[in-house]
């Protein structure tokens, strides 16, 4: 299947088959794929927590608003987190990068102040989201990106240390009765003329 065909068939899953477990070897592949995600200057200011434990998923589901059933029924939930302290990023991540990367950061990012730096760091984690969703679709795995979660409660439940939850992704296999799948509810996107500009 071409990537265009995958893009046409991929959708945000609303209902998962609670018995649809993803094989361990597939999860290991996904871990390696997400580790290889791109980021500006190769900054990698992230941590990805893979959760399959039913008790933990149940706790998270209760602080996931309208995503409660997805969190409980999906095979895995992956929590995407960003490094919380700018000084920690500069001490650990930046020190591992080539001099030109540190130079770029010190000239172009750091002078903007802490709030802008943290925004820039969070943007890198969002880059990994697109990479991850595409990988799942390519591997025949259904997915649901979720910002509708209580991030402070996620941090508490997962005992986050030095990282802050940004969003989560439920992955697994769709329930046959999921009404959001394209065969039931056709995918809607704006016309190409509305979103593509050619110069």
């Amino acid at each position: 299947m071409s990537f265009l065909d995958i893009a046409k068939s991929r959708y945000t899953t609303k209902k998962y088959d609670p018995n649809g477990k993803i094989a361990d070897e597939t999860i290991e592949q996904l871990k390696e794929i997400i580790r290889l995600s791109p980021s500006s200057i190769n900054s990698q200011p992230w941590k990805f927590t893979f959760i399959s434990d039913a008790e933990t998923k149940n706790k998270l589901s209760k602080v996931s608003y309208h995503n409660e059933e997805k969190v409980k029924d999906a095979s895995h939930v992956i929590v995407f987190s960003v490094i919380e302290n700018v000084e920690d990023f500069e001490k650990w991540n930046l020190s591992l990068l080539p001099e030109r990367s540190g130079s770029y950061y010190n000239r172009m990012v750091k002078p903007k102040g802490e709030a802008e730096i943290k925004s820039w760091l969070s943007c890198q984690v969002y880059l990994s989201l697109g990479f991850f969703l595409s990988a799942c679709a390519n591997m025949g795995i259904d997915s649901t990106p979720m910002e509708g979660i209580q991030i402070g409660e996620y941090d508490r439940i997962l005992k986050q240390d030095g990282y802050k939850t940004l969003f989560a992704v439920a992955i697994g296999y769709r329930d046959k009765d999921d009404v959001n799948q394209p065969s039931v509810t056709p995918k809607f996107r704006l016309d190409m003329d509305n979103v593509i500009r050619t110069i």
Side-chain angles (χ1 to χ4, degrees):
M1 183 182 291
S2 73
F3 195 81
L4 178 58
D5 289 332
I6 291 170
K8 289 178 178 177
S9 61
R10 191 230 160 250
Y11 77 106
T12 297
T13 303
K14 300 297 186 184
K15 185 175 176 59
Y16 284 91
D17 176 358
N19 298 311
K21 301 304 178 187
I22 300 172
D24 290 344
E25 57 268 28
T26 303
I27 292 296
E28 291 307 309
Q29 288 181 46
L30 281 172
K31 289 177 180 177
E32 179 64 4
I33 287 168
I34 200 168
R35 186 183 73 85
L36 295 169
S37 295
S39 59
S40 178
I41 66 168
N42 202 20
S43 51
Q44 305 174 70
W46 47 48
K47 185 163 284 186
F48 309 107
T49 305
F50 281 67
I51 303 151
S52 59
D53 175 68
E55 183 179 350
T56 304
K57 286 198 301 169
N58 189 54
K59 289 178 182 177
L60 294 174
S61 73
K62 297 181 187 311
V63 291
S64 297
Y65 300 121
H66 61 281
N67 291 307
E68 180 175 357
E69 294 303 316
K70 301 179 196 81
V71 171
K72 281 198 299 188
D73 292 343
S75 174
H76 290 69
V77 173
I78 295 82
V79 176
F80 289 61
S81 306
V82 65
I83 196 165
E84 193 165 18
N85 189 289
V86 172
E87 289 182 359
D88 287 345
F89 169 76
E90 294 174 350
K91 180 179 178 182
W92 301 111
N93 296 52
L94 207 59
S95 67
L96 299 173
L97 301 179
E99 184 179 341
R100 66 182 182 277
S101 297
S103 176
Y104 173 87
Y105 172 83
N106 288 322
R107 283 186 297 107
M108 305 299 292
V109 182
K110 190 169 183 175
K112 296 180 179 179
E114 184 173 348
E116 286 295 320
I117 295 171
K118 287 187 172 184
S119 176
W120 179 80
L121 293 171
S122 294
C123 285
Q124 309 317 310
V125 184
Y126 275 88
L127 284 177
S128 71
L129 172 62
F131 198 69
F132 183 73
L133 295 179
S134 296
C136 287
N138 184 64
M139 298 168 75
I141 297 167
D142 294 310
S143 61
T144 310
M146 301 176 295
E147 288 185 305
I149 60 175
Q150 296 180 45
I151 58 175
E153 288 300 300
Y154 266 57
D155 287 343
R156 181 186 62 79
I157 291 166
L158 298 175
K159 298 179 172 62
Q160 295 272 44
D161 184 17
Y163 288 82
K164 180 180 179 62
T165 299
L166 288 178
F167 54 88
V169 178
I171 61 173
Y173 299 106
R174 71 190 72 174
D175 187 282
K176 62 181 177 58
D177 295 326
D178 184 8
V179 297
N180 205 44
Q181 53 192 314
S183 62
V184 179
T185 304
K187 179 179 281 200
F188 166 74
R189 292 294 187 272
L190 295 171
D191 291 337
M192 190 173 292
D193 289 344
N194 291 333
V195 296
I196 305 294
R197 183 181 179 211
T198 304
I199 297 176

